[in-house]
Amino acid sequence: MKILVYLKQVPHQDARLDVSGDGTWIKEENIKFEINSYDSYALEEALKIKDQDATSEVIVVSAGPERVVQALRQALGMGADRAIHVRDDSVDATDALGLAKTLANVAKAEKPDVIFMGFMSDDGNFAAIAPMVAELFGVPHATAVIALTRNGDTFIAERELEGGNLEVVELKAPCLIAVQTGINQVRYASLKGIMQAKKKPVDPKSAGDLGVAGQLAAKVAIEKIYVPAKSATAEILQGSADEIAEKLVAKIKELGLL
Amino acid sequence: MGNILVITELQRGKIREASYELLSFAKKIAAAKGHSVCSVVLGKDVAAEAEAFAKRSGGPVYTVANPVLENYNVDAYCTAIQAAVDKAKPELILVSHTPSGWDFAPRIAARLDAGFVSDCFNIDATGDLVFVRRVFGGKMDARVAVKSTPVVATFQPGATEACQDSAAGSVEALDVAIDAGALRTKFVEVKAPQAKGVDLTKAEIIVSGGRALGGADKFKEVIEPLAEALGGVVGASRPVVDAGWLPHERQVGSTGQVVSPKLYIAAGISGAIQHVVGMKGAQFIVAINKDPDAPIFEVASLGVVGDLFEIVPALTKAIKAAKG
């Protein structure tokens, strides 16, 4: 199978977030980035297919500035075969639909049997790109997939619903699967893999290369981000660990639980 | 002026409360912008629910009735919604951010070449229309401005009150052909959750740990002894379960168990919405986190800003001492 995986590089989950000067995003200087958690599960799902069928090819694609090459190299180290780096300011500045148009054109050029993506991103939390790419590439999709089995070119996907229910759907390749976190156990890159990754190709592509130049005007845009006003704040206990523990014990006694 | 199209959602044959909440947002925007509200009800049997909705919505309520719409199917839904869009030619399409809504809404946006904004919890219609939503898992809020219409927007269920208006609306059935054989995603079944080995919903005391624990062994070393000392049970946030440190049955949150113990201790849990939904009903919440800005402190009754690896063992020791 030919498999395309879209990876987004996002601020590290423990990074300190400060609003940027223009107020529309966070300061990206001096913080660590990592592969979006959902996307690392998507990559693992692709690599599992390659484990079963060595003739499979896994292509990873990411859009963003130079820093995203690090995410692509990590994916290559884990076992992906080659990478596409969409590097264009107009892509970085567009909205979800603009990015989806760009990625759909990557798919149209590569013609994968299956596309794996994360269900959403840890930063924007939009959960928009996957169904959009599926629509624009003209294939069926399933979102929030927490279990997946494959029989030839047929996939059985279990979608997470509310209240612990699961919706089971069947779809045939070519298709797009947007995975939920926890669908698998994500592997680490081996030392050998990291060495091999250095020789694997990372192809840069511009909006022009992908046929989307001039089509990326954002239809919606973040005008401001801010730390939400606290609706209520807990009483914060002060003191040494032992002093705090004593205060908590007193409280738990007061609640009649000790 | 333009139209706002509300896409309602049936659950077990009834229109969900979330659809009436969408109606509240739609009416608020319509009042500010001089728009009109229309709606669509899609499902197998829709007539009675469409009548009920029309009595609160006013305006036209379109219906698409077809046996293939009994269970959610992305292709069938998109075909039905497209018919309502062709009829209403809306500037704005509102959808609930539910497992079906988040599945088809972006797809519809792409089909219509429309802007898309998801999981909104508020709007600001005082100037140019702005949607308000959370980003970074609840650490920040974002105001998203509309640059060009149409726009598809999804809303968090529970974000506003359900619309209780009395109005005189009309129901109009749309004749839509849906070829069941052409559906590319096939519905197989809905699986109900399996019986849990541990029922967190009945626990009086829950001690939960988050990603900050760093591994399964740390749960054993740090969290379990505290739960044991208190006679409580161990819970966890989603990242812990995703990483395989604890089984899914221990997960507290919107995709795990929704709990309401007398005491809930959250150690190293930042307080992402998905977790908070599952534990905010606890009578007393103690949050221990090294980040003073962690959203968990907003729902906590008592907070400790500090290292859980120091605080939790000290608390375990103090409880054992208190019990004698």
Side-chain angles (χ1 to χ4, degrees):
Chain A
M1 285 204 142
K2 189 169 179 179
I3 308 163
L4 192 67
V5 181
Y6 170 62
L7 300 175
K8 184 176 188 182
Q9 195 188 41
V10 297
H12 193 280
Q13 291 199 47
D14 295 329
R16 195 194 144 78
L17 304 179
D18 291 312
V19 176
S20 63
D22 71 355
T24 65
W25 199 238
I26 55 151
K27 283 183 191 160
E28 296 204 342
E29 301 83 26
N30 306 320
I31 60 167
K32 280 205 292 182
F33 284 83
E34 62 183 352
I35 294 176
N36 177 37
S37 62
Y38 293 80
D39 299 348
S40 59
Y41 291 95
L43 174 62
E44 177 62 33
E45 225 33 48
L47 296 175
K48 275 168 62 188
I49 293 180
K50 193 175 156 72
D51 290 344
Q52 295 161 3
D53 171 11
T55 65
S56 292
E57 183 184 26
V58 176
I59 306 152
V60 287
V61 52
S62 189
E66 195 55 33
R67 60 173 163 76
V68 308
V69 172
Q70 187 195 347
L72 292 170
R73 287 279 170 213
Q74 186 185 336
L76 295 171
M78 289 164 73
D81 296 290
R82 61 187 170 92
I84 296 169
H85 177 196
V86 180
R87 189 174 179 187
D88 200 303
D89 291 347
S90 69
V91 175
D92 295 347
T94 190
D95 58 3
L97 184 61
L99 178 59
K101 286 176 181 173
T102 308
L103 297 175
N105 279 10
V106 172
K108 285 172 188 170
E110 294 289 346
K111 298 184 178 60
D113 298 298
V114 57
I115 302 174
F116 285 109
M117 287 194 188
F119 168 49
M120 67 162 120
S121 62
D122 295 321
D123 55 356
N125 303 160
F126 266 91
I129 304 294
M132 287 180 167
V133 170
E135 172 68 18
L136 298 169
F137 182 46
V139 298
H141 81 268
T143 53
V145 174
I146 190 70
L148 186 71
T149 53
R150 180 175 70 99
N151 182 6
D153 65 351
T154 301
F155 290 91
I156 303 286
E158 295 189 7
R159 299 186 60 228
E160 207 170 61
L161 305 182
E162 294 144 305
N165 291 294
L166 295 170
E167 179 187 84
V168 185
V169 296
E170 181 188 309
L171 58 177
K172 277 191 164 43
C175 62
L176 184 149
I177 307 286
V179 308
Q180 199 27 298
T181 56
I183 184 175
N184 52 41
Q185 290 293 311
V186 180
R187 73 192 62 190
Y188 291 96
S190 64
L191 191 60
K192 189 177 156 213
I194 293 166
M195 296 309 287
Q196 286 173 342
K198 290 179 179 165
K199 295 190 197 103
K200 292 177 179 175
V202 178
D203 293 330
K205 296 276 186 200
S206 68
D209 295 336
L210 294 166
V212 289
Q215 297 173 35
L216 300 177
K219 294 170 191 291
V220 297
I222 293 177
E223 61 166 33
K224 188 182 173 203
I225 69 165
Y226 52 96
V227 177
K230 301 222 183 318
S231 47
T233 307
E235 179 199 337
I236 302 292
L237 296 180
Q238 307 288 347
S240 69
D242 287 333
E243 286 162 1
I244 287 168
E246 285 308 323
K247 289 175 189 170
L248 286 172
V249 166
K251 188 71 209 180
I252 295 165
K253 277 184 177 161
E254 199 184 307
L255 292 169
L257 295 171
L258 202 62
Chain B
M1 297 297 283
N3 277 330
I4 301 173
L5 178 64
V6 174
I7 316 268
T8 66
E9 181 178 337
L10 290 178
Q11 195 172 44
R12 288 180 285 278
K14 297 278 178 201
I15 290 178
R16 288 179 68 143
E17 191 78 353
S19 301
Y20 288 99
E21 294 160 15
L22 283 185
L23 191 54
S24 296
F25 280 122
K27 289 194 174 190
K28 198 170 154 191
I29 299 168
K33 302 290 172 200
H35 290 334
S36 303
V37 177
C38 48
S39 317
V40 61
V41 184
L42 44 159
K44 186 178 168 217
D45 301 305
V46 296
E49 282 298 297
E51 289 291 347
F53 199 78
K55 282 188 185 133
R56 289 205 228 166
S57 68
V61 177
Y62 304 114
T63 61
V64 183
N66 194 308
V68 302
L69 296 169
E70 182 176 13
N71 295 300
Y72 171 67
N73 181 287
V74 59
D75 287 336
Y77 269 51
C78 285
T79 302
I81 291 164
Q82 177 80 58
V85 168
D86 291 345
K87 188 84 185 171
K89 298 186 173 52
E91 300 257 312
L92 201 56
I93 299 171
L94 306 188
V95 180
S96 299
H97 198 70
T98 59
S100 59
W102 71 52
D103 198 65
F104 72 73
R107 194 153 189 141
I108 285 285
R111 190 168 296 188
L112 301 173
D113 199 33
F116 180 72
V117 54
S118 66
D119 206 13
C120 308
F121 65 87
N122 207 352
I123 51 151
D124 180 353
T126 50
D128 289 340
L129 184 59
V130 167
F131 297 96
V132 190
R133 60 191 301 279
R134 302 206 195 285
V135 289
F136 293 104
K139 289 182 196 156
M140 298 257 183
D141 283 356
R143 287 171 57 90
V144 181
V146 173
K147 298 287 178 189
S148 71
T149 56
V151 164
V152 178
T154 72
F155 282 84
Q156 237 176 54
T160 193
E161 300 289 314
C163 175
Q164 304 289 355
D165 296 355
S166 289
S170 58
V171 175
E172 182 184 337
L174 301 181
D175 188 15
V176 185
I178 302 173
D179 179 0
L183 303 177
R184 297 168 298 179
T185 304
K186 294 195 168 35
F187 173 83
V188 180
E189 61 171 332
V190 169
K191 292 207 280 198
Q194 289 167 358
K196 305 265 192 282
V198 183
D199 190 355
L200 297 178
T201 64
K202 293 202 170 63
E204 286 205 333
I205 298 174
I206 297 174
V207 182
S208 279
R211 201 167 47 88
L213 264 295
D217 51 334
K218 297 293 175 193
F219 265 85
K220 282 208 167 57
E221 273 174 52
V222 180
I223 300 296
E224 280 181 24
L226 176 58
E228 204 172 300
L230 282 167
V233 297
V234 173
S237 63
R238 176 152 193 153
V240 167
V241 172
D242 285 345
W245 302 344
L246 286 181
H248 181 251
E249 64 191 26
R250 297 283 175 176
Q251 187 189 325
V252 173
S254 58
T255 55
Q257 300 194 52
V258 176
V259 300
S260 48
K262 288 183 177 157
L263 173 64
Y264 189 90
I265 300 179
I269 293 176
S270 67
I273 308 284
Q274 108 92 26
H275 184 74
V276 168
V277 166
M279 47 66 86
K280 66 181 178 194
Q283 283 174 33
F284 199 86
I285 297 168
V286 176
I288 303 165
N289 202 295
K290 65 180 179 192
D291 175 8
D293 294 325
I296 193 75
F297 290 120
E298 285 181 53
V299 293
S301 327
L302 268 185
V304 179
V305 178
D307 182 355
L308 75 91
F309 293 106
E310 289 174 19
I311 308 291
V312 175
L315 179 56
T316 307
K317 198 175 95 190
I319 285 163
K320 282 181 178 163
K323 285 164 85 174

